[in-house]
Amino acid sequence: MAKLLLFGRLAEVAGWREREVVLPASLLMLRSQLTLEDPALGEALAGAGVLAAVDQVLTRGDAPLLGVVEVAFLPPLSGG
Amino acid sequence: MIQLSSEPIDPGHLLNGFCAGRATTGAVVSFTGLVRDEGGQAQALELEAYEGFTEMAIIGMAVAAKARFDLIDLMIVHRIGRVEVGQPIVFVATAAAHRRAALEACDHVMDYLKSRAPLWKKSFGPDGARWIEPTAADLADAKRWDQETNP
C-alpha cells in the first residue's frame, strides 16, 4: 500500500486529503484512475500549475510508480 | 533554524534569541509579516504545508541563500494553520558580518517565501473562502534575484 495525498483546493474538490492505495504502474495511470473515479478531481488535476510529487520529489510528465510509497498532487503554490 | 509552526509566533522573542551570543555578526535584519485585512475582505488565512516536502524545499533555498549572501546565520519561522488578521504569519532573520548582505538576504528570502515556497493559502472573509496564488508583483519580485548576477 502507498499513501496518496492531495493539498489545497485539490483536497477540497475531492473531499479527502489522504488515502491508502495500491498504486498502478505509472503516474499517468494513477491520474486516469482518479479521473475515472471522480471526473471533477480529474479536471482539477489537469489544471494549469498542478504538480505531482513522487516520494516527495517533484515529477513532470509520467513516472513509474513501482516501489513508490507516497504520491502527492500539489495545486499551484500560494507562497507564504 | 527553519520551522513551520502551528502555534502563534512571538517575533520579539525570536529576534532576541537570534541576536544572543554572537561575536562575528555585525548585522541582524529581521522581517515580520502580518496578516492584512485587505480592506475588510479578509478575516483570517489558513496555511497548508506538505510535511517534510515543504521544509526540505525551504531548507534548500536557505542553504543557497546562506552561501550566496555569505550569511553567518538564518532563521525562518512560518505559520501553518489558521492565522487571524493582525497576527504574525512569517518571521525571517538574517545575520551577516555587515548590513548590506543581511538586508539583501532577508529581502531575497521573503521573495522566495511569497512566490515559490510549497505552501497553500486560503483567505477567509465575509463573502466566504478562496484559495490564494502568488500575485504578479510577488512573481516579479522573485524574478529580480534570477536576473541579478551580483547580489
Side-chain angles (χ1 to χ4, degrees):
Chain A
M1 295 292 268
K3 206 191 281 183
L4 181 57
L5 303 169
L6 300 177
F7 290 89
R9 63 178 172 78
L10 297 177
E12 220 163 65
V13 169
W16 54 272
R17 52 184 61 244
E18 180 172 341
R19 233 184 217 190
E20 292 287 322
V21 294
V22 176
L23 290 173
S26 75
L27 192 56
L28 283 182
M29 284 173 71
L30 176 62
R31 282 175 177 272
S32 302
Q33 281 185 4
L34 290 170
T35 304
L36 186 64
E37 181 192 319
D38 181 349
L41 175 60
E43 196 179 320
L45 289 175
V50 173
L51 304 169
V54 174
D55 281 342
Q56 303 218 343
V57 176
L58 284 181
T59 306
R60 285 176 202 286
D62 201 6
L65 296 180
L66 184 69
V68 164
V69 297
E70 189 172 286
V71 176
F73 289 104
L74 317 176
L77 308 179
S78 291
Chain B
M1 184 186 82
I2 310 295
Q3 194 195 342
L4 297 177
S5 172
S6 50
E7 300 297 320
I9 294 174
D10 180 345
H13 178 73
L14 291 175
L15 183 58
N16 281 332
F18 189 76
C19 288
R22 296 195 177 278
T24 57
T25 298
V28 167
V29 170
S30 77
F31 174 88
T32 303
L34 306 178
V35 177
R36 236 188 351 249
D37 76 353
E38 302 288 4
Q41 290 309 295
Q43 292 157 341
L45 292 177
E46 198 169 272
L47 281 113
E48 197 181 335
Y50 178 3
E51 202 183 332
F53 179 86
T54 301
E55 287 95 325
M56 284 306 294
I58 296 175
I59 288 167
M61 176 278 301
V63 167
K66 202 171 169 190
R68 176 172 180 171
F69 297 95
D70 202 14
L71 295 178
I72 293 165
D73 200 1
L74 171 62
M75 176 187 261
I76 300 170
V77 181
H78 209 298
R79 275 300 310 274
I80 51 174
R82 191 178 168 96
V83 191
E84 305 293 329
V85 161
Q87 294 300 305
I89 186 168
V90 61
F91 175 85
V92 173
T94 54
H98 301 285
R99 73 181 181 284
R100 184 68 53 209
L103 284 162
E104 288 187 345
C106 192
D107 193 18
H108 171 84
V109 167
M110 273 314 302
D111 282 345
Y112 165 85
L113 290 173
K114 289 293 288 184
S115 62
R116 294 177 187 175
L119 291 163
W120 297 279
K121 189 161 64 177
K122 199 174 182 179
S123 173
F124 292 86
D127 302 328
R130 65 183 184 90
W131 291 97
I132 296 179
E133 289 174 16
T135 64
D138 288 335
L139 295 173
D141 282 346
K143 230 173 150 61
R144 290 186 302 153
W145 304 97
D146 299 339
Q147 289 155 353
E148 288 176 20
T149 47
N150 298 311

